[in-house]
Amino acid sequence: MSADPSASPDPSAGPDQGSGPDQGSGTLTQPAPPDISDALAARLARDVWGIEASARALGSHQDRNFLLERDDASPLLLKIANPSVTAVELEAQSAAAVRIAERAGCRAPRALVVGGATVRPVTVGGVEMQARVLEFLEGATLTGHLSRAAVESLGTLAGRVALALEDLDAPAAERSHQWDLRHAPGALAELLPFVDDAVLRERLAEASAAAWAEVDAVAAALPVQFIHGDLTDDNVVTADRVTRLPDGVIDLGDLNRTWAVGELAITVSSLLHHDGVDLPAAMRAVTAYHRVRPLSPPELRALWPLVVVRAATLVASAHHVLATDPANAYAAANLLHERAILDAATSVPLDVASALVLQALGQAVPEPVLPPAQLLVPWLIADDVVVADLSPTSPHLHEGRWLAASAEHDVMSGCLDNARVAVARFGEARLTRSRPLDPDEPHNVALGVELRFADRQPLAAPWAGVVAVTSAGVLVGTGDWTLRLDGMRTALDDGSAVEAGDLLGEADETLWVQVVRAGVGADAPRFAPRGLAGAWRAVVADPSPLVPGHPASSSSGAVDGAALLARRDAVFADVQEHYFDDPPVMVRGWREHLVDADGRVYLDTLNNVTSVGHAHPRLVDAVASQWRLLNTNSRFHYPAVVEFSERLAALLPEPLDTVFLVNSGSEAVDLALRLGQAWSGRRDVLAVREAYHGWTYLSDAVSTSVADNPAALETRPEWVHTVPAPYGHRGASPARYADGAVAEVERLAAEGTPVGAFIAEPIFGNAGGVALPGGYLDAVYAAVRAHGGLAIADEVQVGYGRLGTWFWGFEQQGVVPDIVTVAKAMGSGHPLGAVVTTREIAERYREGGYFFSSAGGSPVSSAVGLAVLDIIRDERLQENAREVGGYLKARLEELGQRHPLLAAVHGSGFYLGPEFVRDRGTWEPATAETAAICARLRELGVIAQPTGDHQNILKLKPPMCFSRESADAVVAALDRVLTTGW
């Protein structure tokens, strides 16, 4: 690879809008090939190559492509090149395909060799063209949403293809054409006259000219080699319909010797129209490419300008094609995508996009430094200034106050009791600018400072400059920088010159202060998403030094999620897993919402622990009030433990009247099993497969889910016996599950090992809320009790009103267990669990010794338990679970009618389990798809996770305050994922 100074085009060559359309007579654009019917293509394949096949036209901008389908062999591709393409060029393309297949670790379409050559001439309508027959690569191109892995994989593939072609030597195949970015100015000069929209034409000309100026500055230093020339989403294929990672490269029709970095620009531009691929996401392809083929500094500078040039060429070329080939449906359909590419490529200034490139590669973006300046408000001192905290952890924003339209005004005004000015910091991610149920990253990072004054304040020029009075505020320009002041009244005329310290005007209540590089001015937003905020620092300076006391910018205190995760991994046991590979750093919760350190608001569909909602004020007050009074171990005598135990027992049917209080569901199940052993004098237990009950020795012994422990069934103690999960879509009919379980109870009794206890979730929670067959528990409970055993209902996940129609899951089965275990919901995030049984069973356990749990039922825990019950009652959360949960289930079922992958929706209330299968006939679990769906939902602001032994069911068990609007948001997000992909 070498730099080729001669490859740099004449910088004076640019889009020429003075000439009219000439229908493709220019030197760079290609004429439209003649129309070729499917029948004619099939005849050419037979007559020239001896191939008997049917032909079906495939889309192309400039060529004619046909799929040749044969009865007894794999399909082939007949590719008839544009009349302007020579046989030598096509032979080079054939050689390049071989190199890619052998060196890049992917598939590529090799050409059939006939008579020592891969190219044959064909004549249609008196026009001679060159044609080849290629291997047809099975698979799909990249459409819809592209995952992070797919974007990275495409970048990696682009790098590998570049390395595979770097020493290709085919001088005769070098040519000048419109897709060679070295010739973009000339190509655009020919193409732009075909853009009949004058506004669009001017936009294309201006954007491409500005970008080309950046390219031209480094053009002589850009390495040159043969490249694919069109390595885009449309020209790669994937054989994996789940991951959709590209593994094949097609269509080398634009192969040419040109700038190597041009390939990456082409690849990146093709990503920009995809659902979910914004500029920061597209940078993943750049990072991946750089790992394979490192980019030089000149290439880094040229990359994004070339993306803009490519985008402009795409749009202009589409108009040219439609003018010269009006029936080209392929070009017409692609124009929408190409406009989206242009919009994304030019959505930020070139300097910002180039800074984003540097950030993606881990390179520092030089932060601008303000020129020497005086204070903007010189009549104030540091003691007059206080910082108004609007961050996600601000104490001013508790109890949902961040949602109020007046939140910023309220916080800043509240800070003025003992100060003359409140400052909202530069670089701060304002929670007040974030909103729930938003699928997009919030634009909430401040690119300026905001001042709120207790009284009117005069403002002075921090430096000498020229004043401009605009609708966006008063601008004071000095050399490379412009000071923007919005919220100031001035008597100065537009164009007035000022010296440092001169009076500019007077600020009223609120003043926005921003310092922007000259030329950007009002185009700089006040707020940016976190993914772009760092790159905006290339053109936006921190104006804090202009404020008395120089309040530190908030960007220095931003949480580094990766560093925090590394610290967690270093000190936390690996077995204590976390959600997601790159988890967001959660710092706040409110109702059914979670907020990360950057102020992104997520919808929490996962948290059956936080039953009454995150940060419920009544619960916070109950904890604080009780802790101020007393918190000690439960052997002391105090009112709260009595009141809570009475309330809990009253929720259960007779004869369940005796309560043990513990700290977790695992402890509750462990104790319940000990009660069973004490009652029956036997260790043997019967459990249901695919269930999870806890992590203590006994609760883990009866946990049979292979998703939680792949060796769960093989490592059970000999006294744990299991029956199949009563799941109607797999195995026996629903009615036969009960018969099989009863038969197992009888078999164990006949062999001299009757079970002392049977434990089951009354609603199959670990499998996503699957309801047990009618009569199942009644039959099994009766069989177990007939042999002296006890029936344990594990309500840790599904109980406490979450099911809506029933407070307890066992009510759905019309039975009364001997022991009930409770946790999770009863503490709403506080460690609290319980076992409720009969006085007789509890007394039998007493015969073996005493029971004591230090914090179980402590004063604070009891106060929490009482507050949760009060909230569930007073806010009608069980009724909300029934109504909104029923609404959500119905909407999800309707979604399943349109998306075959969503085959069933299990559960009730706020314990729902949408199940994904690849085939509704075989019920093959869509495990990989479900994991990918969860990852995509997270990108859209919805936290969900898979469950079940096959990990193909979403566990939707949100806080019970979940609203109808939140239900709609979940359905909308899932519909989007199932429609556009994951």
Side-chain angles (χ1 to χ4, degrees):
M1 184 185 307
S2 63
D4 182 6
S6 66
S8 177
D10 179 0
S12 65
D16 178 8
Q17 296 181 49
S19 59
D22 61 3
Q23 301 302 310
S25 62
T27 60
L28 295 174
T29 56
Q30 296 171 314
D35 290 331
I36 300 174
S37 67
D38 290 351
L40 177 55
R43 189 162 67 251
L44 289 172
R46 182 184 67 246
D47 295 346
V48 180
W49 285 271
I51 297 172
E52 291 290 345
S54 62
R56 175 164 56 86
L58 303 176
S60 173
H61 263 98
Q62 305 290 353
D63 302 325
R64 296 293 187 236
N65 298 325
F66 296 89
L67 178 65
L68 302 179
E69 296 178 293
R70 300 179 289 177
D71 293 335
D72 56 349
S74 57
L76 298 167
L77 179 70
L78 171 61
K79 191 170 185 66
I80 303 173
N82 189 278
S84 64
V85 181
T86 67
V88 174
E89 295 171 49
L90 295 180
E91 290 292 357
Q93 294 175 24
S94 298
V98 172
R99 283 173 176 263
I100 292 171
E102 293 176 349
R103 299 182 181 184
C106 68
R107 298 179 292 151
R110 301 172 190 256
L112 272 60
V113 179
V114 180
T118 64
V119 182
R120 300 295 296 272
V122 298
T123 300
V124 177
V127 178
E128 182 175 282
M129 296 171 286
Q130 306 299 322
R132 294 174 297 157
V133 172
L134 311 177
E135 297 170 344
F136 181 78
L137 299 192
E138 297 283 0
T141 57
L142 300 184
T143 59
H145 169 73
L146 297 184
S147 68
R148 175 174 185 161
V151 171
E152 291 175 347
S153 183
L154 186 57
T156 299
L157 184 57
R160 289 176 177 169
V161 169
L163 292 181
L165 299 179
E166 65 179 345
D167 60 353
L168 178 63
D169 185 20
E174 296 182 31
R175 59 193 173 110
S176 298
H177 63 82
Q178 71 185 57
W179 300 117
D180 182 348
L181 291 175
R182 293 182 302 174
H183 303 295
L188 284 165
E190 295 181 20
L191 296 170
L192 283 175
F194 292 91
V195 180
D196 53 7
D197 182 332
V199 174
L200 175 60
R201 186 170 61 249
E202 182 66 19
R203 178 187 174 195
L204 294 172
E206 290 181 355
S208 59
W212 189 256
E214 289 293 312
V215 174
D216 191 61
V218 295
L222 297 178
V224 172
Q225 66 166 74
F226 269 96
I227 66 171
H228 179 287
D230 197 19
L231 194 61
T232 67
D233 53 346
D234 285 333
N235 286 329
V236 295
V237 293
T238 174
D240 189 328
R241 65 187 180 89
V242 178
T243 67
R244 300 199 302 146
L245 301 183
D247 63 356
V249 174
I250 60 175
D251 194 358
L252 282 86
D254 293 312
L255 180 80
N256 201 15
R257 188 172 183 273
T258 184
W259 292 323
V261 70
E263 188 79 275
L264 180 57
I266 290 165
T267 298
V268 170
S269 67
S270 76
L271 297 171
L272 298 179
H273 70 88
H274 284 272
D275 182 35
V277 182
D278 55 11
L279 265 59
M283 289 302 113
R284 295 167 185 159
V286 178
T287 304
Y289 180 98
H290 184 70
R291 283 196 293 262
V292 176
R293 181 196 168 274
L295 296 158
S296 67
E299 288 179 313
L300 292 176
R301 180 174 174 182
L303 176 57
W304 202 262
L306 286 173
V307 170
V308 173
V309 169
R310 166 72 174 186
T313 305
L314 285 170
V315 174
S317 177
H319 284 82
H320 168 260
V321 171
L322 292 172
T324 57
D325 184 13
N328 195 322
Y330 178 82
N334 271 5
L335 181 56
L336 291 176
H337 292 164
E338 288 154 354
R339 284 294 301 267
I341 291 170
L342 176 69
D343 291 343
T346 58
S347 61
V348 298
L350 285 171
D351 286 344
V352 175
S354 293
L356 196 62
V357 170
L358 294 177
Q359 280 187 329
L361 303 186
Q363 300 187 19
V365 177
E367 293 190 357
V369 178
L370 286 178
Q374 299 185 18
L375 290 177
L376 179 65
V377 196
W379 297 275
L380 298 179
I381 61 174
D383 289 345
D384 294 326
V385 180
V386 65
V387 171
D389 187 355
L390 299 173
S391 73
T393 56
S394 170
H396 306 300
L397 300 176
H398 293 331
E399 299 183 8
R401 286 192 285 272
W402 54 279
L403 292 169
S406 61
E408 292 181 359
H409 176 277
D410 296 343
V411 171
M412 297 187 76
S413 296
C415 292
L416 294 176
D417 293 340
N418 299 304
R420 297 181 66 187
V421 59
V423 181
R425 294 169 290 185
F426 177 86
E428 182 168 71
R430 294 192 188 180
L431 179 57
T432 50
R433 297 274 163 166
S434 303
R435 285 294 174 265
L437 311 183
D438 187 348
D440 299 317
E441 186 180 17
H443 291 235
N444 67 340
V445 178
L447 299 181
V449 298
E450 190 169 0
L451 308 179
R452 187 170 186 82
F453 300 101
D455 46 32
R456 292 181 177 179
Q457 287 293 328
L459 303 176
W463 48 59
V466 177
V467 173
V469 181
T470 74
S471 60
V474 176
L475 309 181
V476 182
T478 175
D480 293 336
W481 295 101
T482 298
L483 172 66
R484 176 183 173 190
L485 302 170
D486 191 7
M488 182 189 80
R489 293 180 295 167
T490 183
L492 296 174
D493 294 328
D494 188 50
S496 298
V498 294
E499 297 296 325
D502 285 355
L503 182 66
L504 289 175
E506 187 177 66
D508 286 324
E509 191 176 49
T510 303
L511 179 71
W512 175 258
V513 184
Q514 191 169 29
V515 178
V516 183
R517 194 175 294 280
V520 177
D523 291 337
R526 293 191 180 193
F527 296 89
R530 173 60 74 190
L532 286 174
W536 271 105
R537 291 299 305 274
V539 298
V540 176
D542 181 359
S544 300
L546 304 182
V547 179
H550 299 184
S553 70
S554 179
S555 55
S556 60
V559 177
D560 185 335
L564 184 65
L565 186 61
R567 288 168 54 196
R568 171 180 172 138
D569 290 343
V571 71
F572 228 44
D574 288 345
V575 74
Q576 298 180 92
E577 297 177 349
H578 51 76
Y579 296 130
F580 306 110
D581 293 334
D582 56 338
V585 179
M586 298 302 186
V587 298
R588 182 185 288 274
W590 176 246
R591 294 181 60 82
E592 66 264 47
H593 307 290
L594 291 166
V595 181
D596 72 12
D598 292 325
R600 176 80 189 270
V601 183
Y602 297 87
L603 184 56
D604 181 4
T605 72
L606 185 61
N607 229 318
N608 63 334
V609 173
T610 314
S611 56
V612 300
H614 296 282
H616 198 292
R618 291 177 64 179
L619 195 53
V620 172
D621 290 345
V623 171
S625 296
Q626 182 59 57
W627 215 308
R628 288 191 186 98
L629 291 171
L630 172 71
N631 194 33
T632 184
N633 72 64
S634 57
R635 284 185 165 182
F636 287 93
H637 186 45
Y638 46 88
V641 71
V642 178
E643 295 171 14
F644 178 53
S645 297
E646 289 174 340
R647 289 275 299 275
L648 183 59
L651 293 169
L652 288 148
E654 292 292 342
L656 300 172
D657 59 3
T658 304
V659 176
F660 295 82
L661 292 177
V662 292
N663 303 293
S664 69
S666 294
E667 292 179 43
V669 170
D670 191 289
L671 177 57
L673 292 170
R674 292 179 189 276
L675 292 174
Q677 291 173 350
W679 175 264
S680 66
R682 302 189 294 267
R683 297 186 68 192
D684 291 86
V685 177
L686 187 65
V688 179
R689 293 175 203 157
E690 301 187 33
Y692 175 79
H693 296 287
W695 59 266
T696 66
Y697 176 70
L698 288 180
S699 61
D700 177 67
V702 296
S703 293
T704 54
S705 170
V706 296
D708 297 295
N709 175 8
L713 297 178
E714 294 83 359
T715 58
R716 295 307 91 203
E718 74 282 354
W719 45 267
V720 175
H721 313 279
T722 64
V723 292
Y727 183 51
H729 290 291
R730 299 191 300 268
S733 64
R736 298 194 59 183
Y737 279 110
D739 296 339
V742 169
E744 179 65 7
V745 172
E746 300 300 336
R747 182 189 71 79
L748 291 170
E751 292 180 358
T753 55
V755 296
F758 167 68
I759 184 168
E761 291 182 289
I763 299 288
F764 208 21
N766 199 60
V770 176
L772 302 180
Y776 181 86
L777 288 184
D778 188 40
V780 182
Y781 280 12
V784 170
R785 286 165 172 161
H787 294 284
L790 296 180
I792 303 172
D794 183 355
E795 297 274 359
V796 168
Q797 292 207 78
V798 301
Y800 239 62
R802 171 166 297 280
L803 298 172
T805 303
W806 311 280
F807 193 87
W808 303 106
F810 63 76
E811 294 176 310
Q812 186 265 344
Q813 288 276 305
V815 296
V816 177
D818 301 303
I819 302 172
V820 176
T821 61
V822 199
K824 295 190 187 296
M826 66 188 300
S828 196
H830 182 83
L832 180 59
V835 175
V836 186
T837 186
T838 67
R839 175 64 57 179
E840 184 179 9
I841 292 172
E843 289 301 322
R844 181 73 62 87
Y845 186 68
R846 173 75 176 179
E847 295 172 5
Y850 70 92
F851 171 80
F852 172 59
S853 174
S854 295
S858 70
V860 166
S861 292
S862 297
V864 167
L866 285 166
V868 169
L869 287 175
D870 288 344
I871 294 167
I872 291 174
R873 177 198 63 207
D874 297 345
E875 298 183 9
R876 302 180 71 250
L877 294 187
Q878 182 181 354
E879 291 84 348
N880 190 60
R882 182 178 65 249
E883 295 166 6
V884 176
Y887 171 75
L888 175 57
K889 183 173 184 177
R891 290 219 57 200
L892 289 169
E893 288 173 334
E894 185 274 331
L895 210 59
Q897 296 173 13
R898 296 188 283 111
H899 298 289
L901 192 73
L902 176 52
V905 183
H906 307 291
S908 171
F910 283 146
Y911 208 111
L912 300 177
E915 182 167 10
F916 301 103
V917 301
R918 294 176 178 173
D919 185 322
R920 294 191 182 187
T922 63
W923 217 255
E924 177 188 359
T927 302
E929 292 91 332
T930 305
I933 287 169
C934 289
R936 176 63 176 138
L937 285 173
R938 177 250 175 115
E939 293 177 359
L940 296 175
V942 177
I943 300 295
Q945 285 287 287
T947 191
D949 269 16
H950 299 282
Q951 294 289 282
N952 69 314
I953 302 174
L954 289 187
K955 44 185 171 185
L956 300 185
K957 43 182 187 174
M960 292 163 62
C961 57
F962 208 71
S963 67
R964 184 175 286 249
E965 292 76 18
S966 293
D968 287 335
V970 170
V971 174
L974 185 55
D975 189 20
R976 179 173 171 180
V977 174
L978 295 176
T979 300
T980 65
W982 46 83

